[in-house]
Amino acid sequence: MLEAVTIIAIVTAAAAFAAWRVWQTLRVARGQADCNACGACKPEHK
Amino acid sequence: MTEASTSTRHEGHARHDRHAIALMGNPNTGKSSLFNALTGARQKIANFPGVTVEAKIGTTRFENSEFTIIDLPGTYSLAARSPDERVATDALLGRIEGTPKPDGVVIVLDASSLDRNLYIGTQVLEFGLPAVVALTMLDVAESRGIKIDTEKLSKTLGVPVVVVNAPKGKGIDELKGTLHRALHHPGKKLELSYPDDFKRGVDTLHAELLDLGVKLGFTPTRPEALRLLVDGAGPFFDECEEVGGEEWTRKFFEIRERAAAGRSLSMLEAQTRYGAIGQWMREVKQAEAREGRTRTDVVDGILTHKLWGSLVFIVVMGLIFQSIYSWSGPLMDTIDGGFGALGDWVGGMMGEGALKSLVVDGVIAGVGGVLIFLPQILILFLFIAILEDLGYMSRAAFLMDRLMSRFGLSGKAFIPLLSSFACNIPGIMGARVIEDRNTRLTTIFLAPFMSCSARLPVYTLFIAAFVPQIKLLGFLELQGLVLFAMYWVGVLFAIPTALVLKKGILKSKVTPFLLELPSYKMPRPKAVGRVLWERGGSFVRRAGTIILAVSVLVWAAGYFPRGAEIDDKHDAAIAAAEGAYSEAVVSFDPEADIESALAQFKAIDDAHEERTAGLEGEEPEVEAATAESDKQREAEIAELAAKHPAAFTDYENWLKLEEQRSEIENRRAGEHLENSILGRMGHVIEPAVEPLGWDWRIGMAAIASFPAREVIVATLGTIFNLGSEEDEESQTLREVVQNATRPDGSKLFSLATGLSIMVFFALCAQCAATLAVMRRETNSWKWPLASFAYMTGLAYVAALVTFQVAHALGG
Ligand SMILES: Nc1nc2c(ncn2[C@@H]2O[C@H](COP(=O)(O)OP(=O)(O)OP(=O)(O)O)[C@@H](O)[C@H]2O)c(=O)[nH]1
Ligand SMILES: [Mg+2]
């Protein structure tokens, strides 16, 4: 039971993260965010 | 903005004592270096023009004041032609959203080519903002025998001059102090003596603009009028045209015609500026007459030579790929071994079940599979960082200009394309330095064809698995050579694509390419180290975020649903095999101590395994040692078998049982995978990927990699781990790939399959971030969509042809 709950939690978190990344990518497309894929365009501060 | 409003602004700011300061100057003069030194930010710095293409903001303090520093792309003139130059001009006028209007400027001048640098210097000084000149590269100038009298320069220009060397941290505090003073006691505005017609034109236009002022919503300054008069186009012109209407436009062109008086206005501007600069230089600059050609000239002569330069280019590139291969091997093995051990350890601690599978097959196999490629990524970036710092990029661009112009591209497109080998995204952004819209779009479209670092893991995995480890001519590793060839695949397809685009929808004439060759600089170890740290860090971060997430999702899709009937079937099969075995045991002589004899046989096997545990690879020594140990094992077994014949039969039966058991477990895992969501989807797409030599598992792994290419390495690890039951020591990803079989037992991968996968990954548009940035840079979904469709189609066809040809040739 505990195992099932843990697995559901992990998979849900992964799915949520993936969805957030899709959203983030769309923001990049609209010019509202840096993509941060390669680390070449660094954010302004350390 | 009038003088009055300037001063109110200043007073307003003085109360909070915050000032916005723009860094303006030619490309590659050290603006970003200065920016980083001032603000502690980590903007990209490299030794070629066109590194910075966006305005970036940082802050620094001096006593009680806070400076907001704006780093800008370098530009040769305020008459902006390319998008990055426009950013610089717009920023100076405070017309960029989210970027404050500057209260002062630091004019960054490269002392080693002061004349040319002063061109934009005079343009900025005319604006009359409080300004300080930061004189960079004085060390370079001095090494060339150029002396600059900074005091005289300061007097001539009417603004303070501070010598800085940002990479060495020199002059930074002095610059801040001088800036602070200049903001509170601005110097005088620079006045150049333009021809009378020209000057009158500017005045008349300025008056007209002031009339328009109310409608424009701001008060245009005289320098702005000058720019508008000379450039006769641009966003400011469009604005005036919009509010002023036809009437205004007609008047504008009349004024222009009168001011020009039959000559070219931009020519007049240039003559005036260079006239003044020439005069100043006679007083300020002393250049030792040098005999003959300098060392730099000689080196440049070779590096930009049609034949020698190309040769050097190819040798340098070849060397990089050889090193990626020969240096990364041991490091990769260490990481690989580490993850293998981690998997075994964690697996040993957890009870059988879904959670263990998630951790071992999903997370460790997935993320670990990607992380083993970190050494190669670092080596690639080590070379890139060194080449960028050295000043070689511009020479290569110069060399390629001739070649590129044949494909309708200028050498200006070369640097963005070259940086695409690191990552396509900065390549696409770097295309902002290209003035011509169509050339820029072509460059953006071509950038993803360049093999970015995310393709490297795919290449190296399949090359390591299927390309034999042999040396050609005694020193060229075949594997490194194939890797080098993979990088050319994209280039070879980019060329016809460029030709079609430039002849078709993106026609444009090739503009002459003016590129300055920066002076050679020793790569700074700290800067190179920083690049490695950042790139390595972002690779690891990606492995820990997006790749982790995809691995977990692929695992879940490949694990569920668990068909109970599959388990029942295989449990029954195992029970049957075990039953048969125990029956056979019972039939043996009960007198003999079978159990302990059996244990002795097993001990012989264990000893053999222990002897060969560390032996891996295809080297002759390894194979000899393995064979030796095997012989020993056989001899020992034969000896024991003679002593205990009954136990030997039993031992053989036991071996058979073990084999049956692992066969059944493998079949069970395979059937579960086939039955899973992933498997069912896989069977739908299988017909499409079959002609490429792939099965559904490779197909699904490739599809899961559309968000980011390196995901394939993770998904392959996860899928193949799920699809087989490994009781013994875990295999490395390379071994997994080498040993993977089809349901009929035949090997899944071959050289032909490996090549087809590599070609597919070389050409396919598998990177969501690249497509997003393409949309941003072109401001339309048309380009990313076209790129996606075209590249994916091309990848499919090319992989198909590769597999069929390689297969036919027996690969
Ligand atoms: N020798 C020497 N090198 C310098 C100095 N200042 C900067 N550099 C080097 O000059 C090169 C260019 O520096 P950047 O700061 O990237 O130049 P930039 O003006 O921002 O260039 P763009 O962004 O292309 O406009 C780098 O290799 C720096 O290390 C200096 O005072 N002396
Ligand atoms: Mg810069």
Side-chain angles (χ1 to χ4, degrees), chain B residues 23-36 43-54 71-75 84 108-110 135-141 163-168 170 388-391 433 518-524 527:
Chain B
L23 299 178
M24 304 275 307
N26 283 8
N28 206 42
T29 49
K31 296 177 297 302
S32 299
S33 307
L34 191 57
F35 176 79
N36 288 354
Q43 270 277 79
K44 180 174 166 112
I45 293 168
N47 191 12
F48 58 89
V51 178
T52 310
V53 291
E54 281 181 308
D71 186 23
L72 292 170
T75 161
D84 67 321
V108 181
L109 300 179
D110 173 350
L135 197 61
T136 62
M137 316 271 180
L138 201 62
D139 48 333
V140 178
V163 175
V164 297
N165 187 330
K168 293 224 163 78
K170 277 189 208 150
E388 282 188 346
D389 245 25
L390 209 57
V433 303
S519 51
Y520 290 104
K521 299 208 166 83
M522 265 320 266
R524 303 149 295 152

Side-chain angles (χ1 to χ4, degrees), chain B residues 194-439:
Chain B
Y194 292 98
D196 286 338
D197 290 335
F198 188 99
K199 219 187 279 176
R200 256 197 306 279
V202 177
D203 287 333
T204 325
L205 182 61
H206 189 206
E208 288 288 337
L209 287 174
L210 288 176
D211 284 348
L212 265 191
V214 183
K215 285 194 222 156
L216 280 170
F218 65 94
T219 325
T221 58
R222 195 170 180 278
E224 277 174 276
L226 188 154
R227 275 270 59 81
L228 185 62
L229 184 75
V230 176
D231 301 343
F236 187 31
F237 175 78
D238 299 340
E239 241 172 281
C240 294
E241 201 173 22
E242 198 181 311
V243 294
E246 246 169 67
E247 168 69 11
W248 184 86
T249 315
R250 196 185 43 77
K251 233 187 272 170
F252 172 73
F253 283 106
E254 254 176 46
I255 299 173
R256 251 189 133 207
E257 210 157 295
R258 240 179 295 138
R263 289 159 300 177
S264 140
L265 283 169
S266 47
M267 196 66 153
L268 286 177
E269 185 196 359
Q271 275 171 358
T272 310
R273 293 192 195 281
Y274 277 125
I277 294 168
Q279 232 163 33
W280 301 338
M281 283 303 111
R282 276 191 283 283
E283 292 176 26
V284 169
K285 189 173 91 172
Q286 268 187 352
E288 264 170 44
R290 292 247 163 143
E291 302 249 319
R293 309 198 314 157
T294 63
R295 223 174 31 203
T296 304
D297 292 339
V298 176
V299 176
D300 279 348
I302 297 168
L303 290 187
T304 58
H305 187 271
K306 230 188 270 181
L307 177 65
W308 303 124
S310 313
L311 220 61
V312 169
F313 183 71
I314 289 174
V315 168
V316 167
M317 293 299 146
L319 217 68
I320 294 177
F321 293 110
Q322 290 286 318
S323 320
I324 287 178
Y325 249 92
S326 31
W327 296 357
S328 63
L331 281 167
M332 285 181 70
D333 288 346
T334 313
I335 302 180
D336 206 350
F339 274 103
L342 180 70
D344 290 341
W345 183 68
V346 173
M349 291 207 317
M350 297 176 72
E352 287 299 322
L355 193 57
K356 173 180 166 180
S357 173
L358 168 60
V359 173
V360 176
D361 302 332
V363 175
I364 297 180
V367 174
V370 174
L371 281 181
I372 51 178
F373 296 98
L374 180 62
Q376 284 156 327
I377 301 284
L378 290 179
I379 295 172
L380 178 70
F381 279 110
L382 172 72
F383 282 107
I384 292 180
I386 291 177
L387 288 182
E388 282 188 346
D389 245 25
L390 209 57
Y392 181 69
M393 301 289 261
S394 303
R395 273 80 190 179
F398 186 85
L399 185 72
M400 292 296 153
D401 188 37
R402 265 178 300 232
L403 197 70
M404 310 259 301
S405 61
R406 281 206 209 134
F407 313 124
L409 285 170
S410 79
K412 250 197 172 166
F414 179 76
I415 287 186
L417 290 178
L418 198 61
S419 24
S420 296
F421 281 107
C423 172
N424 297 158
I425 289 165
I428 289 172
M429 290 183 31
R432 289 188 195 170
V433 303
I434 300 169
E435 311 80 70
D436 178 67
R437 179 179 164 274
N438 285 356
T439 310

Side-chain angles (χ1 to χ4, degrees), chain A residues 42-46, chain B residues 19-23 31-45 56-62 66-72 106 166 172-173 175-176 179 530:
Chain A
K42 275 267 114 186
E44 286 79 78
H45 283 286
K46 279 178 275 190
Chain B
H19 311 275
I21 310 292
L23 299 178
K31 296 177 297 302
S32 299
S33 307
L34 191 57
F35 176 79
N36 288 354
L38 284 168
T39 64
R42 302 209 231 145
Q43 270 277 79
K44 180 174 166 112
I45 293 168
K56 288 277 173 181
I57 299 173
T59 53
T60 185
R61 309 193 131 270
F62 180 79
E66 188 177 292
F67 298 132
T68 304
I69 312 280
I70 311 165
D71 186 23
L72 292 170
V106 172
I172 306 300
D173 285 330
L175 180 67
K176 284 194 212 176
L179 199 55
R530 216 191 68 202

